[in-house]
Amino acid sequence: MKELQSEYQCAINLVIDLIGGKWKVLLLWHLNEGDKRFNELRRTIPEITKKMLTQQLRELEGHGLVKRTVFEEVPPRVVYSTTDFGRKLQPVLYGMCQWGDDYAEKEGIQMNSCWTGRDFMQK
Amino acid sequence: MKELQSEYQCAINLVIDLIGGKWKVLLLWHLNEGDKRFNELRRTIPEITKKMLTQQLRELEGHGLVKRTVFEEVPPRVVYSTTDFGRKLQPVLYGMCQWGDDYAEKEGIQMNSCWTGRDFMQK
DNA sequence: TCATTAGGTTACCCTTTAGTAACTCAGTTA
DNA sequence: TAACTGAGTTACTAAAGGGTAACCTAATGA
């Protein structure tokens, strides 16, 4: 699992270590909509592989942003949810989204977003 | 130079492509304090190598977040500054910093920050 | 007896990112 | 004539990140 540094020059680099990479913000996004099972997430994000899904969820869990609940059944049932601290990141994600959307619009980049800053503004 | 994707699932992934990596937010941070020359940045961030500094500045420039001004002199003089659009990112960086600082405090991670969210709150 | 289920793990490989060290350019100073 | 200046470039190497395909578990249903 990805280890955080023991010291950072800038808090933003810590944030990037926590939520950077190809899948984490997407996972946090979908988990903020509500708790989800492993294969539910796979269906929601069909491009992610099992390996990456477990790996990224385990890191989010290890860093305290996501909670993993195992029900001892066969076949197994595992439910993922965001922690309180993970949920505190939402406004930050909104801010990033809005700026990113402005950039995308300015540069003509297509946004097939599950969610955009613009959506948020309208709510 | 790092090419952006032509399409993103989530604006946040675009933002991470724009400011992710080891050096960019640090560079944006220092350039927001005021325009700086190449070797001035090297002195401000002694750990960065020339190669990474040019590379990262060139990407920030290519993505329209930083402006590069060359004065045709010998020895050369090159001044870097943030663009208007780059400056619009500041509040987002603040938000990220504050959340990152909370995380660092909670987890006992040391912050040798040029700047922290806490500083901002006191201003 | 065999396949199916959910939620993984493992070995292997390729690509991207970051770092090192040497080299360049043209004019100024010693 | 040689060294120094600022702002780089280049070739090479090491490390991190991401992807593929095969395998595992224990109970259930056909």
Side-chain angles (χ1 to χ4, degrees), chain B residues 75-93:
Chain B
R77 179 156 59 103
V78 178
V79 173
Y80 293 92
S81 50
T82 48
T83 61
D84 289 347
F85 199 84
R87 240 162 284 133
K88 276 197 205 151
L89 191 58
Q90 279 280 74
V92 175
L93 297 183

Side-chain angles (χ1 to χ4, degrees), chain B residues 5 12 38 40 78 87 107 118:
Chain B
Q5 289 160 230
I12 295 174
F38 186 83
E40 218 172 335
V78 178
R87 240 162 284 133
E107 299 293 325
R118 224 163 306 287

Side-chain angles (χ1 to χ4, degrees), chain A residues 2 21-23 49-52 55-56 74-76:
Chain A
K2 169 171 198 158
K22 201 166 166 182
W23 303 110
T49 62
K50 292 180 191 194
K51 178 193 155 188
M52 288 312 287
Q55 195 181 94
Q56 300 299 296
V74 170

Side-chain angles (χ1 to χ4, degrees), chain A residues 8-49:
Chain A
Y8 283 83
Q9 293 225 346
C10 181
I12 295 175
N13 283 323
L14 166 60
V15 176
I16 287 177
D17 275 2
L18 287 168
I19 63 163
K22 201 166 166 182
W23 303 110
K24 285 182 182 170
V25 288
L26 216 53
L27 289 170
L28 284 173
W29 184 256
H30 288 299
L31 290 178
N32 271 327
E33 290 170 347
D35 301 0
K36 295 220 163 34
R37 297 180 60 175
F38 186 83
N39 280 339
E40 220 173 333
L41 284 168
R42 285 233 286 159
R43 279 190 296 275
T44 313
I45 310 170
E47 315 79 41
I48 197 170
T49 62

Side-chain angles (χ1 to χ4, degrees), chain B residues 38-85:
Chain B
F38 186 83
N39 280 339
E40 218 172 335
L41 284 167
R42 285 232 286 160
R43 278 190 297 274
T44 314
I45 311 169
E47 314 80 44
I48 198 170
T49 62
K50 293 178 190 195
K51 178 193 154 189
M52 289 311 289
L53 184 53
T54 359
Q55 196 182 93
Q56 301 299 297
L57 285 170
R58 284 309 205 303
E59 286 186 11
L60 288 168
E61 190 199 0
H63 295 147
L65 306 185
V66 158
K67 185 161 167 267
R68 177 174 180 263
T69 311
V70 183
F71 295 85
E72 295 294 352
E73 305 168 359
V74 171
R77 179 156 59 103
V78 178
V79 173
Y80 293 92
S81 50
T82 48
T83 61
D84 289 347
F85 199 84

Side-chain angles (χ1 to χ4, degrees), chain A residues 29-85:
Chain A
W29 184 256
H30 288 299
L31 290 178
N32 271 327
E33 290 170 347
D35 301 0
K36 295 220 163 34
R37 297 180 60 175
F38 186 83
N39 280 339
E40 220 173 333
L41 284 168
R42 285 233 286 159
R43 279 190 296 275
T44 313
I45 310 170
E47 315 79 41
I48 197 170
T49 62
K50 292 180 191 194
K51 178 193 155 188
M52 288 312 287
L53 184 53
T54 1
Q55 195 181 94
Q56 300 299 296
L57 285 169
R58 284 307 204 307
E59 286 185 11
L60 287 168
E61 190 200 0
H63 296 147
L65 306 186
V66 156
K67 185 161 166 268
R68 177 173 180 264
T69 312
V70 183
F71 296 85
E72 295 292 353
E73 307 168 359
V74 170
R77 179 156 59 103
V78 179
V79 174
Y80 293 91
S81 50
T82 48
T83 61
D84 289 346
F85 199 83

